[in-house]
Amino acid sequence: MSQTDHALTTALAQAAATAGRAPSVHNTQPWRWRVLPDALELRVVRDRQLTATDPEGRLLVLSCGAALHHARVTLAAEGWQAVVERIPDPDEVERTPNPDDADLLARLTSLTRVGTDPEAMHLVQCMRIRHTDRRPVGDEPITDSALTEITEAAAVEGVRLQQLDRDQVLQLATAASQADSVESEDPRLRAELAYWTSRADNVGLPAAVLPESPPQTTVPGRDFGRAGTLPVGPGHDQAAAYALLYGDEDEPSTWLRAGEALSAGWLTATRLGVSVVPLSGVIEVPGTRAELRGVLAGMGHPYLVLRLGRADPTHAGPPHTPRLPVEQVVDTTAARET
Ligand SMILES: Cc1cc2nc3c(=O)[nH]c(=O)nc-3n(C[C@H](O)[C@H](O)[C@H](O)COP(=O)(O)O)c2cc1C
């Protein structure tokens, strides 16, 4: 193996490992990477799909999209430019090397050396500190310019982010309560949540990241069905902004792009000191998802709600949610065999 080949496979393996820091629904980390001598493949792990909560796989694929964006940015930070083949797009299936490989979501190919990208390097640092902080946000609202930057980062990925006005936030609050009662009355959904909040094997949500009591919020956050140990304090997140990530189609190819946009927007938010909490309950329940479509006045399909705000600077936030060891998510066998 030449020095350049070695540098490329090292960069691909590093990108796949770093992508493990991406956010995922219930911290399911439903991805697996295969490092080839000159390409990187992303596959979905259907064993970790929330089959009751997310039967269509919307949040599953969205989570994988976030990991894909993390990998792309890590490669750019190391000075590699890749062509991205996204597989679920029906128009792209013809180009898939193996159309029967149903779990293959994306390939990063045709890697060329370009200069290191300082902006990408900064975002890689943000990957290390980004996390979900479910406490109420601080009293100072986020600035319009911060919101514009976050929206533009999502738009680069082909997905729109719209801030909700006051009336729309109230509609969202009603929809979120409805979604919560639908989900809490469904024993299959309750069992799934209980499963992912009681794991001790580096997936799922530990008690340390879940609020010890329901925070005071305009839009209720997810009821995880159990109290955590994260102190929430007396604050009310009146200063929070709410935004909808949405797009023209509601299919796997756009869910993947939505995940890339989530990662792009969230990393930009982290760079700007803005806290992000995804709220997916309203997307999971078909009735409230349809209501959110109404909020968008038919302009598109909602993928995810985001709560945005300034994290409380006076208290330490929650610890980082654990991640699976790299060996369990990154397969380097094919690269080592050459
Ligand atoms: C598609 C998606 C949906 C999510 N939905 C919620 C949610 O409804 N409520 C919540 O508190 N966190 C939600 N999260 C945040 C995840 O629980 C979080 O990313 C994961 O536990 C990993 O933790 P970290 O973001 O701190 O690294 C969601 C994340 C993703 C990617």
Side-chain angles (χ1 to χ4, degrees):
M1 192 188 275
S2 75
Q3 247 184 357
T4 318
D5 293 345
H6 181 71
L8 174 57
T9 43
T10 305
L12 292 171
Q14 183 56 44
T18 307
R21 295 179 188 273
S24 58
V25 63
H26 292 3
N27 196 30
T28 45
Q29 305 165 63
W31 48 70
R32 186 153 176 82
W33 295 94
R34 186 154 176 253
V35 182
L36 299 170
D38 56 357
L40 186 58
E41 293 179 344
L42 168 64
R43 283 182 178 73
V44 62
V45 176
R46 294 190 196 274
D47 288 354
R48 290 204 288 276
Q49 178 172 357
L50 305 175
T51 48
T53 311
D54 180 35
E56 293 164 294
R58 187 179 281 99
L59 304 174
L60 173 84
V61 174
L62 211 149
S63 300
C64 290
L68 175 59
H69 180 264
H70 270 49
R72 284 171 43 208
V73 173
T74 308
L75 283 170
E78 290 294 320
W80 293 96
Q81 192 177 56
V83 171
V84 188
E85 292 175 15
R86 295 177 183 85
I87 308 305
D89 187 335
D91 298 337
E92 301 285 306
V93 169
E94 290 297 303
R95 294 207 282 127
T96 308
N98 178 6
D100 298 329
D101 190 349
D103 294 339
L104 185 62
L105 287 183
R107 303 186 79 212
L108 299 173
T109 60
S110 309
L111 283 116
T112 45
R113 263 267 185 227
V114 291
T116 51
D117 176 345
E119 166 68 8
M121 289 164 83
H122 201 163
L123 292 182
V124 170
Q125 286 168 1
C126 291
M127 288 174 199
R128 298 181 206 288
I129 51 174
R130 185 214 57 78
H131 65 290
T132 307
D133 185 348
R134 299 177 178 85
R135 297 173 303 157
V137 297
D139 291 336
E140 194 193 328
I142 62 167
T143 60
D144 288 347
S145 67
L147 192 66
T148 303
E149 268 197 66
I150 296 165
T151 304
E152 283 173 359
V156 168
E157 302 301 322
V159 178
R160 281 163 282 166
L161 184 71
Q162 180 177 307
Q163 184 182 4
L164 302 182
D165 65 27
R166 215 181 141 66
D167 288 346
Q168 290 170 327
V169 171
L170 296 179
Q171 279 175 273
L172 171 66
T174 309
S177 304
Q178 275 170 7
D180 212 38
S181 37
V182 170
E183 296 203 319
S184 61
E185 281 161 22
D186 186 325
R188 284 184 65 225
L189 298 185
R190 279 208 313 270
E192 202 161 66
L193 194 56
Y195 177 77
W196 288 100
T197 52
S198 58
R199 306 275 303 245
D201 52 356
N202 298 311
V203 288
L205 295 154
V209 302
L210 301 179
E212 63 180 5
S213 57
Q216 298 189 67
T217 55
T218 311
V219 177
R222 186 189 290 279
D223 176 359
F224 285 94
R226 61 170 285 193
T229 56
L230 177 67
V232 291
H236 187 296
D237 69 352
Q238 277 155 345
Y242 292 88
L244 253 181
L245 208 53
Y246 72 100
D248 292 333
E249 308 295 337
D250 194 24
E251 57 189 37
S253 59
T254 50
W255 303 337
L256 193 69
R257 293 302 273 147
E260 292 175 84
L262 171 68
S263 167
W266 201 339
L267 293 176
T268 302
T270 305
R271 178 166 61 67
L272 298 168
V274 172
S275 146
V276 175
V277 177
L279 300 174
S280 54
V282 276
I283 302 292
E284 292 153 17
V285 174
T288 51
R289 192 167 69 245
E291 277 173 39
L292 283 191
R293 236 196 130 188
V295 168
L296 288 170
M299 287 193 311
H301 294 271
Y303 304 135
L304 202 59
V305 172
L306 303 183
R307 186 198 75 172
L308 303 156
R310 298 243 159 243
D312 182 349
T314 54
H315 295 94
H320 283 279
T321 310
R323 292 296 193 270
L324 288 164
V326 171
E327 318 79 73
Q328 283 185 35
V329 279
V330 183
D331 177 3
T332 53
T333 326
R336 283 202 308 262
E337 279 166 1
T338 57

